Amino acid sequence: MESKKFLLQEKDIPEAWYNVVADMPEKPAPMIHPGTKKPLTVEDLSPIFAEELARQELNETDRWIEIPDEVREMYRIWRPTPLVRAEGLEKLLDTPAHIYFKNESVSPVGSHKLNSAIPQAYFCKKQGITNVTTETGAGQWGAAMSLAAKHFGLELAVYMVKVSYHQKPYRRSIMQTYGAEVIASPSMSTRAGRKIITDHPNYQGSLGTAISEAVELATSTPNCRYVLGSVLNHVSLHQTVIGLEAEKQMEMAGEYPDIVIGCFGGGSNFSGISFPFIRHNFSGKRNTLFIAAEPESCPKLTRGVFHYDFGDEAGYTPLIPMLTLGHNFAPANIHAGGLRYHGAGSIVSKLKTSGLIDAVDIPQLESFEAATKFARAEGIIPAPESAHAIAAAIREAEKAKEEGKQKIILFNLSGHGLIDMAAYDRYFAGDLANYSVSQEEIEANVADLDKLI
Amino acid sequence: MESKKFLLQEKDIPEAWYNVVADMPEKPAPMIHPGTKKPLTVEDLSPIFAEELARQELNETDRWIEIPDEVREMYRIWRPTPLVRAEGLEKLLDTPAHIYFKNESVSPVGSHKLNSAIPQAYFCKKQGITNVTTETGAGQWGAAMSLAAKHFGLELAVYMVKVSYHQKPYRRSIMQTYGAEVIASPSMSTRAGRKIITDHPNYQGSLGTAISEAVELATSTPNCRYVLGSVLNHVSLHQTVIGLEAEKQMEMAGEYPDIVIGCFGGGSNFSGISFPFIRHNFSGKRNTLFIAAEPESCPKLTRGVFHYDFGDEAGYTPLIPMLTLGHNFAPANIHAGGLRYHGAGSIVSKLKTSGLIDAVDIPQLESFEAATKFARAEGIIPAPESAHAIAAAIREAEKAKEEGKQKIILFNLSGHGLIDMAAYDRYFAGDLANYSVSQEEIEANVADLDKLI
């Protein structure tokens, strides 16, 4: 635990977000309007999202998008975040690899999610919107959005995936402490919720269903918009503050990563740590390996199909060109609730299908084994989601040992696990299991996608 | 939430702890050996504590005690901690006061307790000790000690007050994640525990009982010592890193506190924030008001008697000259478990009886009301213990408003409350109550103290 920190000053908080699409050798396919089957416009998106966020979503040309002062001002509460050389973990693994992690767990809500919650609340407020809705899986995004909404004086309703609502009651309490309304999803408050409850009375919910409910409420409420914590381009955009800071900090450490790793649900933290580095791959200056670490039980990047699909269960969203398991895929109730999402955003999907990034799937037990090693070696108890990135980093560090190579590994610690101790309890009690997905299940789930477009 | 942070560099981590006793105009009365009735010596203490800690405990002459490199190295994981100007809270209260807080919640275990856990583990290890025991109330100290013990390769057993063991199961999980053994106290594993379970089968424990059990196990186990998270002089000593950093940071802010506030259980965080500032009162340069904020249900500073008393329930410890409610006092089961202790350490007791510091008692509901205001204004959910300091700061800020004075208020945010969300849930549900203590109860509890010495 002699781990060395690399610290920036407040003036080093980035002044612009990095829009990776501008630099991509091939652009992602456009999102499609499910009715007209035409590429989406800002006008199509504006009834759902604040206009500025809709513009960011479709912006393919501006490499840098300025961060408003009001947003940077709030970033200052906890940013810049530390970059840490995990010397305790290196010693434990007896590896020649140098392992670095960007510590996004230091935000007041305990995760990277606040990086996007703040600008989303800000742009809504600026447009005169008074009410917002969103969904949350494990509750990290919901907690972040609750704090951001409170700050900018917006009313917020959060649909929380039912299994997490019960597994993680204290994330619900956090949202309520910040003043948000929290509803277990599926709920009776929306058509989408009522339908799935009627069809499957014991269904414990998924991010896809919660998104349907939140979008339905937003579009049926005056002066209300929907905000999303992952998947979309503008969310990835906001999260690039992670990688932009990490780039400077790796310079301070005098090294450059051979491997960059993030856990993967919809893509927000993986994009955040990766995109600022991947631009040096595009330019040919570097040849870094990017690894998205997804759960074995929700393997869209490693085993999904590339197809247009809905972002939500009920089919309210635009059609997104994504690596997907099908929008009705019901993932196992793993404790990494933030990774239980059926698809990947269009940028990551394009990078993956083009072979520009890699992905691995991590069994639940391996993720908790890695988390426990990390906690004992580095003192920080990681979120079950982030534990997937740690597991992937440990695999790479062990590979480096076998090969006798001094690899430089950087991963994103997206959040701490202090609200997830029930999951650790169950792990230590031997009550957790691995959940794999059969090929038949995946094929059945994606079989109807061709009907969409 | 435009709150301004004042940040130090790693080189600003103090190189020495401040030993306030050396500067006190009158020294505290000595601790007494209960058998011989003579002042304690290092030899008396050494069977219980590591020798260097015993020396620190009795050191009345050295103003500065060097912090070993190995300890500073570990402090670097999260220190220096930020000082924050709570502009969000100021705005909410519409007060002319400037409110600052030192944010000790950023440590990997979420509280200031790690400041002393690290040196205590270090000095034990250095002496060749292999096993340590301790007690914990809410679990903040136990979590810190578990992490420190793991780092220095010590085996640790933690007696956790039974009510907290059940109220806060996730702090127990945190200790287990770091590899410690956790036992609910009172337990059957010690004579002291067996006796109180037999006499009071439904007793939910107290810090006093847990200390008895931990001391008994330490003194009956080979190569084992006991470590304590509060009350004692050497613990207060280690905690002065808080105030020493805050002093530099207030200079950066260009202000000096009129009022310094800490919550109060045994005294560790109050001492930590206060002692470095109080020395300027001793020298006549300043006239700061120091306020210890204790719970209404455990009012040793505001309503206790000054007398020699045991530090634990069973009477295993030396006799300490303290403001006390009697070592058998059974405090109400409030959620601020870390403040449920019957007495104050000898230094604070002396400062209080000499009129050099002040104290207030805070009802439980007021503490949660203050905590909720703070969370919504500043984004950080405070520990129920720290909420007492916030409540006292809010009282002072409101007084400043009434008086139309621009008071400078500094309080210590000793920890975050992310593991205490069950308490917040109960508060929002209207399930929490205030608990006052009758004068008769206090008098009955202290009636037998004269028999001790």
Side-chain angles (χ1 to χ4, degrees):
Chain A
M1 241 172 303
E2 301 72 19
S3 305
K4 194 161 167 47
K5 276 190 302 185
F6 299 91
L7 299 174
L8 297 172
Q9 314 274 308
E10 289 190 354
K11 66 174 172 47
D12 298 315
I13 296 173
E15 290 176 7
W17 295 298
Y18 172 62
N19 181 17
V20 72
V21 186
D23 283 337
M24 283 171 72
E26 292 173 49
K27 310 293 179 211
M31 288 197 285
I32 295 283
H33 189 295
T36 65
K37 313 282 181 195
K38 285 190 185 153
L40 275 188
T41 64
V42 170
E43 290 64 41
D44 292 329
L45 284 174
S46 294
I48 308 179
F49 300 112
E51 259 180 64
E52 179 56 32
L53 297 170
R55 269 192 293 273
Q56 290 175 4
E57 184 62 28
L58 301 181
N59 188 327
E60 296 196 342
T61 48
D62 299 317
R63 178 176 292 129
W64 299 102
I65 293 178
E66 197 187 328
I67 304 177
D69 283 346
E70 292 85 345
V71 172
R72 287 188 84 233
E73 197 60 36
M74 268 199 85
Y75 279 169
R76 287 175 49 237
I77 294 176
W78 80 104
R79 305 210 68 87
T81 64
L83 179 81
V84 185
R85 168 94 183 263
E87 289 169 280
L89 185 61
E90 290 173 14
K91 206 175 286 180
L92 181 74
L93 299 173
D94 187 26
T95 174
H98 293 187
I99 308 176
Y100 293 85
F101 64 92
K102 179 72 169 163
N103 186 359
E104 290 291 307
S105 79
V106 299
S107 95
V109 295
S111 83
H112 71 292
K113 291 291 189 187
L114 206 49
N115 296 329
S116 185
I118 290 168
Q120 292 199 50
Y122 168 76
F123 288 118
C124 286
K125 182 69 182 181
K126 204 178 161 202
Q127 193 183 321
I129 292 161
T130 53
N131 293 58
V132 286
T133 70
T134 195
E135 81 300 318
T136 196
Q140 297 269 27
W141 167 249
M145 199 58 219
S146 301
L147 175 54
K150 169 57 66 179
H151 176 72
F152 289 106
L154 300 166
E155 293 300 321
L156 172 67
V158 184
Y159 286 92
M160 184 172 188
V161 176
K162 199 169 272 178
V163 59
S164 293
Y165 189 91
H166 295 302
Q167 267 179 353
K168 301 174 203 279
Y170 300 142
R171 281 252 169 67
R172 167 177 55 70
S173 319
I174 291 173
M175 292 183 253
Q176 288 167 337
T177 302
Y178 289 135
E181 179 186 348
V182 187
I183 309 111
S185 166
S187 78
M188 296 295 284
S189 67
T190 62
R191 271 183 298 125
R194 283 192 296 276
K195 177 167 188 321
I196 200 156
I197 284 182
T198 310
D199 294 350
H200 309 279
N202 293 320
Y203 184 52
Q204 289 301 297
S206 71
L207 279 166
T209 304
I211 293 173
S212 295
E213 295 205 89
V215 170
E216 186 182 323
L217 184 64
T219 50
S220 60
T221 302
N223 207 23
C224 185
R225 292 294 184 283
Y226 166 70
V227 289
L228 179 64
S230 193
V231 184
L232 294 173
N233 299 355
H234 67 273
V235 182
S236 297
L237 174 77
H238 303 153
Q239 293 294 351
T240 57
V241 291
I242 302 172
L244 292 168
E245 286 180 8
E247 198 185 352
K248 287 190 199 176
Q249 289 164 310
M250 290 299 303
E251 261 176 53
M252 288 168 73
E255 306 206 287
Y256 192 91
D258 297 308
I259 304 170
V260 173
I261 299 170
C263 66
F264 200 90
S268 76
N269 99 90
F270 172 78
S271 303
I273 188 85
S274 299
F275 289 176
F277 288 98
I278 209 169
R279 76 188 201 269
H280 303 304
N281 276 21
F282 294 157
S283 71
K285 261 175 48 189
R286 297 287 184 177
N287 191 24
T288 298
L289 175 66
F290 297 89
I291 304 176
E294 64 183 3
E296 181 191 28
S297 53
C298 197
K300 61 255 182 186
L301 292 176
T302 50
R303 299 173 59 202
V305 297
F306 181 76
H307 203 286
Y308 272 100
D309 196 3
F310 287 115
D312 69 319
E313 198 274 339
Y316 291 157
T317 72
L319 288 166
I320 306 172
M322 46 165 55
L323 278 162
T324 180
L325 299 165
H327 61 277
N328 298 125
F329 180 73
N333 293 339
I334 58 167
H335 280 269
L339 307 186
R340 294 175 69 251
Y341 185 70
H342 66 278
S346 64
I347 301 173
V348 168
S349 294
K350 178 69 188 174
L351 292 172
K352 177 68 173 65
T353 53
S354 307
L356 298 173
I357 64 166
D358 209 346
V360 293
D361 64 321
I362 306 283
Q364 176 160 261
L365 294 178
E366 182 180 344
S367 74
F368 276 93
E369 189 190 337
T372 305
K373 277 184 187 163
F374 182 78
R376 294 182 180 181
E378 296 296 327
I380 304 167
I381 296 178
E385 290 83 4
S386 316
H388 289 71
I390 299 171
I394 289 176
R395 284 188 187 177
E396 291 301 319
E398 286 174 344
K399 211 182 291 174
K401 185 179 174 181
E402 280 164 29
E403 297 172 357
K405 285 187 187 161
Q406 195 204 65
K407 289 279 179 73
I408 311 302
I409 301 170
L410 166 65
F411 72 87
N412 191 39
L413 184 74
S414 56
H416 67 63
L418 294 178
I419 311 295
D420 302 280
M421 294 316 301
Y424 281 85
D425 265 8
R426 295 195 60 212
Y427 170 65
F428 290 127
D431 283 348
L432 294 189
N434 289 331
Y435 297 94
S436 58
V437 184
S438 70
Q439 199 53 35
E440 294 69 37
E441 193 181 340
I442 294 176
E443 282 166 19
N445 255 292
V446 299
D448 287 345
L449 290 180
D450 283 336
K451 293 184 190 154
L452 298 180
I453 188 163
Chain B
M1 240 171 306
E2 301 71 20
S3 304
K4 194 162 165 47
K5 276 190 301 183
F6 299 91
L7 300 174
L8 298 171
Q9 313 273 309
E10 289 191 354
K11 67 176 171 47
D12 299 316
I13 296 173
E15 291 176 6
W17 294 299
Y18 172 60
N19 181 17
V20 74
V21 187
D23 282 338
M24 283 172 74
E26 292 173 49
K27 309 293 179 209
M31 286 198 285
I32 295 283
H33 189 294
T36 65
K37 313 280 182 198
K38 286 192 183 152
L40 274 189
T41 62
V42 170
E43 289 65 40
D44 292 330
L45 283 175
S46 294
I48 307 179
F49 300 112
E51 258 179 65
E52 179 56 31
L53 297 169
R55 270 193 293 274
Q56 291 174 4
E57 184 62 28
L58 301 182
N59 188 327
E60 297 196 342
T61 49
D62 299 317
R63 179 174 295 130
W64 298 102
I65 293 178
E66 196 187 328
I67 305 177
D69 283 346
E70 292 84 345
V71 172
R72 287 187 84 235
E73 196 60 35
M74 268 199 83
Y75 279 170
R76 286 175 51 235
I77 294 176
W78 79 103
R79 303 209 72 85
T81 63
L83 179 81
V84 185
R85 168 96 183 264
E87 289 170 279
L89 185 62
E90 291 173 15
K91 205 174 285 179
L92 181 73
L93 300 174
D94 187 25
T95 175
H98 294 188
I99 307 176
Y100 293 85
F101 64 92
K102 180 70 169 162
N103 187 359
E104 289 291 307
S105 79
V106 299
S107 95
V109 295
S111 84
H112 71 294
K113 291 291 190 186
L114 206 48
N115 296 329
S116 185
I118 290 168
Q120 292 199 51
Y122 167 76
F123 288 118
C124 286
K125 183 67 182 184
K126 204 179 161 201
Q127 193 181 320
I129 291 160
T130 53
N131 293 58
V132 287
T133 70
T134 196
E135 81 299 320
T136 197
Q140 296 269 28
W141 167 250
M145 199 58 219
S146 300
L147 174 54
K150 170 56 65 182
H151 175 72
F152 288 107
L154 300 167
E155 293 300 321
L156 172 67
V158 184
Y159 286 92
M160 184 172 188
V161 176
K162 200 170 274 179
V163 59
S164 293
Y165 189 90
H166 294 303
Q167 266 180 352
K168 300 173 203 282
Y170 300 141
R171 280 250 169 67
R172 167 177 55 70
S173 319
I174 290 172
M175 293 183 254
Q176 289 167 336
T177 303
Y178 289 137
E181 179 185 348
V182 187
I183 310 111
S185 167
S187 78
M188 296 295 282
S189 67
T190 63
R191 270 183 298 124
R194 283 192 296 276
K195 179 168 187 320
I196 201 156
I197 285 183
T198 310
D199 295 350
H200 309 280
N202 293 320
Y203 183 51
Q204 290 301 297
S206 72
L207 278 166
T209 304
I211 294 174
S212 296
E213 294 206 89
V215 170
E216 186 182 322
L217 184 64
T219 51
S220 60
T221 302
N223 207 22
C224 184
R225 292 296 184 283
Y226 165 69
V227 291
L228 180 65
S230 192
V231 183
L232 295 173
N233 300 355
H234 67 272
V235 182
S236 296
L237 175 77
H238 303 153
Q239 293 294 351
T240 58
V241 291
I242 302 172
L244 292 168
E245 286 180 8
E247 200 186 352
K248 286 190 200 176
Q249 288 163 311
M250 288 301 302
E251 260 176 54
M252 289 167 71
E255 306 206 287
Y256 192 90
D258 298 307
I259 303 169
V260 173
I261 299 170
C263 65
F264 200 91
S268 76
N269 98 89
F270 172 77
S271 303
I273 188 86
S274 298
F275 289 176
F277 289 98
I278 209 170
R279 75 187 202 271
H280 304 304
N281 276 20
F282 294 156
S283 71
K285 261 175 47 189
R286 297 285 183 178
N287 190 25
T288 298
L289 174 65
F290 296 89
I291 303 176
E294 62 184 5
E296 181 190 28
S297 53
C298 197
K300 61 255 180 184
L301 291 175
T302 50
R303 298 173 60 202
V305 297
F306 182 75
H307 204 288
Y308 271 100
D309 196 2
F310 287 115
D312 69 319
E313 197 274 338
Y316 291 156
T317 71
L319 288 165
I320 306 172
M322 46 165 53
L323 279 163
T324 180
L325 298 165
H327 62 276
N328 298 124
F329 180 74
N333 293 338
I334 58 167
H335 279 270
L339 307 186
R340 294 175 68 252
Y341 184 70
H342 66 279
S346 63
I347 301 174
V348 168
S349 294
K350 179 69 188 174
L351 293 171
K352 177 68 173 65
T353 53
S354 308
L356 299 174
I357 63 167
D358 209 345
V360 293
D361 65 320
I362 306 283
Q364 177 160 261
L365 294 178
E366 183 180 343
S367 73
F368 277 94
E369 189 189 338
T372 304
K373 278 184 186 160
F374 181 79
R376 292 181 181 182
E378 296 295 328
I380 303 168
I381 296 178
E385 291 82 5
S386 317
H388 289 70
I390 298 170
I394 289 176
R395 284 189 188 179
E396 292 300 321
E398 286 174 344
K399 210 183 292 175
K401 184 179 176 182
E402 281 164 29
E403 298 171 357
K405 285 187 186 160
Q406 195 204 65
K407 290 278 179 70
I408 311 301
I409 300 170
L410 166 65
F411 72 86
N412 190 39
L413 184 74
S414 56
H416 67 62
L418 294 179
I419 311 295
D420 302 282
M421 295 315 301
Y424 280 86
D425 264 7
R426 294 196 61 212
Y427 170 65
F428 291 127
D431 284 346
L432 292 190
N434 289 331
Y435 298 95
S436 58
V437 184
S438 71
Q439 198 54 35
E440 294 70 38
E441 192 182 341
I442 293 177
E443 282 165 20
N445 255 293
V446 299
D448 288 345
L449 289 181
D450 283 338
K451 292 184 191 155
L452 297 180
I453 189 165

